Amino acid sequence: MNIEIIEFPKIHNRKGNIAVIENEVIPFSIQRVYYLYDVPSTSKRGGHAHKNLQQVLVAISGSFDVILKDGKSKQKITLNKPDKGLYLKNNIWRELENFSSGAVCLVMASEAYDEEDYIRNYADFLKYIR
């Protein structure tokens, strides 16, 4: 599957740790940053794929599951460490679920928002990748 876990450099300190996200760590130029928060544990987010856009998702606080599909296989990844990011290349169907209380999902994207880049129906996604 077209994914990768990225480990961010971290600075350990007895007063608290720091995770560092710099251009050298992210495999694309960041054009957009947003975050999901106050997501009810029973809610699902995502439910789409991107034709061109790439993203890195980070659980800044709490945890959530990312369900990934590429048309051939399905994989579930739990994000729960603020020093690790999930790099999603294009043409990956993603669904986010099982948000813990207080979870915050940071998303760094390779492009500005463009509705034309989204595939919001799974059957259309399967047609697109074949």
Side-chain angles (χ1 to χ4, degrees):
M1 197 169 295
N2 229 359
I3 63 168
E4 179 183 332
I5 298 292
I6 297 173
E7 290 198 38
F8 304 122
K10 53 188 167 182
I11 301 167
H12 295 283
N13 187 305
R14 61 183 168 85
K15 296 178 185 177
N17 298 322
I18 299 172
V20 180
I21 301 173
E22 295 178 319
N23 290 334
E24 296 80 25
V25 178
I26 303 297
F28 53 79
S29 175
I30 299 169
Q31 299 300 311
R32 182 171 171 232
V33 175
Y34 61 94
Y35 50 93
L36 308 171
Y37 65 99
D38 289 342
V39 179
S41 61
T42 57
S43 290
K44 293 185 179 188
R45 299 297 311 246
H48 63 267
H50 291 282
K51 298 172 187 171
N52 299 303
L53 182 111
Q54 301 172 60
Q55 295 178 317
V56 174
L57 291 88
V58 183
I60 294 296
S61 179
S63 66
F64 52 89
D65 294 331
V66 184
I67 310 302
L68 304 164
K69 301 175 187 174
D70 64 2
K72 298 175 188 160
S73 61
K74 178 179 175 181
Q75 186 173 357
K76 177 174 94 170
I77 295 178
T78 300
L79 293 179
N80 59 6
K81 295 185 178 2
D83 63 339
K84 292 188 181 359
L86 175 61
Y87 173 34
L88 301 175
K89 298 176 186 173
N90 59 334
N91 298 324
I92 299 284
W93 186 266
R94 79 278 322 268
E95 298 166 359
L96 284 68
E97 62 185 26
N98 196 26
F99 285 81
S100 70
S101 177
V104 177
C105 172
L106 175 73
V107 181
M108 294 168 277
S110 65
E111 307 292 332
Y113 176 81
D114 178 6
E115 183 60 32
E116 294 296 314
D117 188 62
Y118 283 76
I119 304 171
R120 297 191 182 270
N121 177 285
Y122 190 68
D124 292 342
F125 168 70
L126 292 175
K127 287 179 197 170
Y128 179 79
I129 60 173
R130 292 199 167 108

